[in-house]
Amino acid sequence: MAHILYAVANATGMSAYLDSMEHSGDDCAIAALGVTHTGGGDNNWIFLPDCSDSRYWADHHITIKADNGAWLVSFWVNDDEGQTLYWSDFNGYSTEHPVPESKDVTDCTLMIVLENGSPKVIWRPW
Protein backbone atom coordinates (compact mmCIF):
# COMPACT_ATOMS: atom_id res chain seq x y z
CA MET A 1 0.00 0.00 0.00
CA ALA A 2 1.53 3.31 -1.05
CA HIS A 3 0.91 6.79 0.26
CA ILE A 4 -0.23 9.15 -2.49
CA LEU A 5 0.44 12.86 -2.07
CA TYR A 6 -2.10 14.87 -4.06
CA ALA A 7 -1.32 18.41 -2.95
CA VAL A 8 0.91 20.60 -0.82
CA ALA A 9 -0.43 23.76 0.80
CA ASN A 10 2.24 26.32 1.57
CA ALA A 11 1.06 28.72 4.27
CA THR A 12 4.52 30.21 4.87
CA GLY A 13 4.36 33.16 2.50
CA MET A 14 7.58 32.00 0.82
CA SER A 15 7.75 30.16 -2.47
CA ALA A 16 9.51 26.80 -2.30
CA TYR A 17 10.64 23.80 -4.33
CA LEU A 18 9.72 20.14 -3.87
CA ASP A 19 12.62 17.77 -4.57
CA SER A 20 11.98 14.01 -4.63
CA MET A 21 15.09 11.93 -4.04
CA GLU A 22 13.26 8.83 -5.29
CA HIS A 23 11.65 10.20 -8.48
CA SER A 24 13.26 13.32 -9.97
CA GLY A 25 10.34 13.63 -12.42
CA ASP A 26 8.14 14.53 -9.45
CA ASP A 27 10.06 17.72 -8.58
CA CYS A 28 8.02 20.94 -8.76
CA ALA A 29 7.69 24.53 -7.60
CA ILE A 30 5.47 25.11 -4.53
CA ALA A 31 3.64 28.43 -4.62
CA ALA A 32 3.64 30.75 -1.61
CA LEU A 33 0.30 31.08 0.18
CA GLY A 34 -1.33 28.57 -2.14
CA VAL A 35 -2.02 24.95 -2.92
CA THR A 36 0.11 23.08 -5.43
CA HIS A 37 -1.22 19.85 -6.89
CA THR A 38 1.65 17.39 -7.06
CA GLY A 39 1.26 16.14 -10.60
CA GLY A 40 4.60 14.44 -10.84
CA GLY A 41 6.02 13.31 -14.15
CA ASP A 42 2.68 11.86 -15.29
CA ASN A 43 0.51 14.79 -14.14
CA ASN A 44 -1.69 12.97 -11.62
CA TRP A 45 0.06 12.72 -8.17
CA ILE A 46 3.25 11.49 -6.52
CA PHE A 47 4.06 8.67 -4.13
CA LEU A 48 5.58 9.39 -0.75
CA PRO A 49 8.78 7.32 -0.59
CA ASP A 50 9.05 4.28 1.70
CA CYS A 51 11.80 4.71 4.29
CA SER A 52 11.84 2.46 7.35
CA ASP A 53 15.10 3.73 8.86
CA SER A 54 18.09 6.00 8.33
CA ARG A 55 19.87 3.49 6.05
CA TYR A 56 17.32 4.22 3.31
CA TRP A 57 16.76 7.93 3.86
CA ALA A 58 19.28 9.35 1.37
CA ASP A 59 17.42 7.94 -1.66
CA HIS A 60 13.88 7.70 -0.24
CA HIS A 61 12.48 11.02 0.95
CA ILE A 62 11.08 14.29 -0.35
CA THR A 63 12.40 17.70 0.64
CA ILE A 64 10.61 21.02 0.30
CA LYS A 65 12.86 24.04 0.73
CA ALA A 66 11.95 27.73 0.77
CA ASP A 67 13.48 29.46 -2.25
CA ASN A 68 15.16 31.97 0.07
CA GLY A 69 16.55 29.19 2.31
CA ALA A 70 14.56 30.31 5.37
CA TRP A 71 13.14 26.83 6.06
CA LEU A 72 13.25 23.23 4.88
CA VAL A 73 11.19 20.12 5.61
CA SER A 74 11.76 16.49 4.64
CA PHE A 75 9.16 13.74 4.73
CA TRP A 76 8.67 10.04 3.98
CA VAL A 77 6.53 7.11 5.11
CA ASN A 78 7.70 4.23 7.25
CA ASP A 79 6.75 1.07 5.37
CA ASP A 80 7.37 -1.04 8.51
CA GLU A 81 4.74 0.98 10.44
CA GLY A 82 1.70 0.87 8.13
CA GLN A 83 2.95 3.72 5.94
CA THR A 84 3.04 6.20 8.84
CA LEU A 85 4.21 9.62 7.71
CA TYR A 86 7.33 11.09 9.32
CA TRP A 87 8.79 14.54 8.76
CA SER A 88 11.80 16.52 9.89
CA ASP A 89 12.54 20.24 9.91
CA PHE A 90 16.04 19.66 8.55
CA ASN A 91 17.63 17.71 5.71
CA GLY A 92 17.94 14.41 7.58
CA TYR A 93 16.22 11.34 8.99
CA SER A 94 14.45 11.61 12.33
CA THR A 95 11.75 9.80 14.28
CA GLU A 96 10.88 12.99 16.20
CA HIS A 97 7.77 13.89 14.15
CA PRO A 98 5.56 10.87 13.38
CA VAL A 99 1.98 11.47 12.22
CA PRO A 100 0.13 8.52 13.82
CA GLU A 101 -3.22 9.35 12.21
CA SER A 102 -1.62 8.80 8.77
CA LYS A 103 -1.13 5.07 9.39
CA ASP A 104 -2.86 2.92 6.76
CA VAL A 105 -4.35 5.97 4.96
CA THR A 106 -3.23 5.99 1.35
CA ASP A 107 -4.36 9.38 -0.05
CA CYS A 108 -3.21 12.60 1.59
CA THR A 109 -2.30 16.26 1.43
CA LEU A 110 0.31 18.17 3.39
CA MET A 111 0.41 21.76 4.59
CA ILE A 112 3.54 23.61 5.66
CA VAL A 113 3.16 26.33 8.26
CA LEU A 114 5.61 28.34 10.34
CA GLU A 115 5.31 28.30 14.12
CA ASN A 116 7.65 30.76 15.84
CA GLY A 117 9.75 30.80 12.67
CA SER A 118 10.12 27.00 12.46
CA PRO A 119 8.38 24.89 9.82
CA LYS A 120 5.75 22.33 10.72
CA VAL A 121 4.11 19.74 8.45
CA ILE A 122 0.38 19.14 8.87
CA TRP A 123 -1.09 15.96 7.34
CA ARG A 124 -4.69 15.48 6.17
CA PRO A 125 -6.39 12.63 4.29
CA TRP A 126 -7.47 13.46 0.75
Side-chain angles (χ1 to χ4, degrees), residues 18-82:
L18 180 149
D19 191 9
S20 174
M21 300 303 123
E22 193 167 86
H23 302 285
S24 61
D26 291 341
D27 299 352
C28 65
I30 303 293
L33 299 176
V35 176
T36 301
H37 292 272
T38 54
D42 52 7
N43 294 319
N44 54 6
W45 36 261
I46 63 175
F47 286 114
L48 292 173
D50 290 339
C51 179
S52 57
D53 69 45
S54 61
R55 294 175 293 168
Y56 308 108
W57 187 85
D59 295 327
H60 302 284
H61 70 280
I62 292 173
T63 299
I64 299 178
K65 180 179 179 181
D67 290 341
N68 67 2
W71 56 264
L72 176 145
V73 294
S74 296
F75 47 91
W76 59 93
V77 293
N78 187 322
D79 47 318
D80 288 343
E81 294 179 8

